[in-house]
Amino acid sequence: MAEAPKQQMPARRKARKRALDVLYEADLRGRPPVEVLAGYIERIEKPRPEHLGYAVSLVEGVAAHLDRIDELIASYAEGWTLERMPVIDRNLARIAVCELLYHDDIDDAVAISEAVELARQMSTDDSPRFLNGILGRIADYASR
């Protein structure tokens, strides 16, 4: 029986995954995201993937607006502090909030569903529902 062809991960999802890798490392090491990003880019072989530009814009956007993004996440994460959230969830939320607030070319539903899908693949069983709820509330706030 022939094997089914592998599904290609969409370019923007790859970019979000790369941004997550950088933000996760920065968070764990207590380093500025842009500093970790520079080292990350150096390690990528040329030719670099096309989606790298979007990953860079996400990391730079999160870094530039981190205080505002974290303030929103903290205020809408009912019963959770940023410090208590799993590192993956915290950084997926940061990426999605960056897209919700600062990337007009990304539909809110897409930003939320991409974060939820990455959480489903990479985090706890409760993470997709948690992120969907918090990001939905932030999207409602942002669209006012």
Side-chain angles (χ1 to χ4, degrees):
M1 189 165 165
E3 235 180 89
K6 276 191 172 179
Q7 288 266 302
Q8 274 293 15
M9 187 184 289
R12 290 259 167 121
R13 184 169 297 161
K14 287 181 186 175
R16 289 177 186 96
K17 170 71 175 71
R18 284 187 187 265
L20 176 62
D21 291 345
V22 171
L23 293 171
Y24 182 87
E25 180 180 339
D27 205 348
L28 285 182
R29 294 177 58 208
R31 311 289 311 177
V34 176
E35 179 185 298
V36 173
L37 177 65
Y40 186 85
I41 291 172
E42 282 178 21
R43 295 188 301 265
I44 296 173
E45 290 181 28
K46 294 180 181 170
R48 295 193 171 122
E50 284 183 34
H51 65 267
L52 186 60
Y54 190 64
V56 168
S57 76
L58 288 173
V59 172
E60 289 174 344
V62 168
H65 303 286
L66 187 61
D67 290 342
R68 177 71 178 133
I69 289 169
D70 281 357
E71 175 188 317
L72 278 171
I73 293 168
S75 64
Y76 285 91
E78 298 163 357
W80 285 84
T81 61
L82 279 169
E83 296 76 28
R84 272 191 60 218
M85 286 178 202
V87 178
I88 289 176
D89 295 1
R90 178 171 54 236
N91 286 292
L92 283 172
R94 287 171 172 161
I95 291 167
V97 171
C98 180
E99 288 183 315
L100 290 170
L101 298 181
Y102 306 108
H103 288 261
D104 294 336
D105 60 323
I106 302 294
D107 188 62
D108 289 358
V110 171
I112 294 168
S113 67
E114 287 292 319
V116 168
E117 181 55 35
L118 284 169
R120 186 172 286 117
Q121 295 171 15
M122 304 177 71
S123 197
T124 70
D125 289 344
D126 295 330
S127 296
R129 187 170 33 84
F130 171 74
L131 283 172
N132 191 53
I134 196 173
L135 295 172
R137 290 190 294 277
I138 292 171
D140 287 346
Y141 158 80
S143 66
R144 288 186 208 148

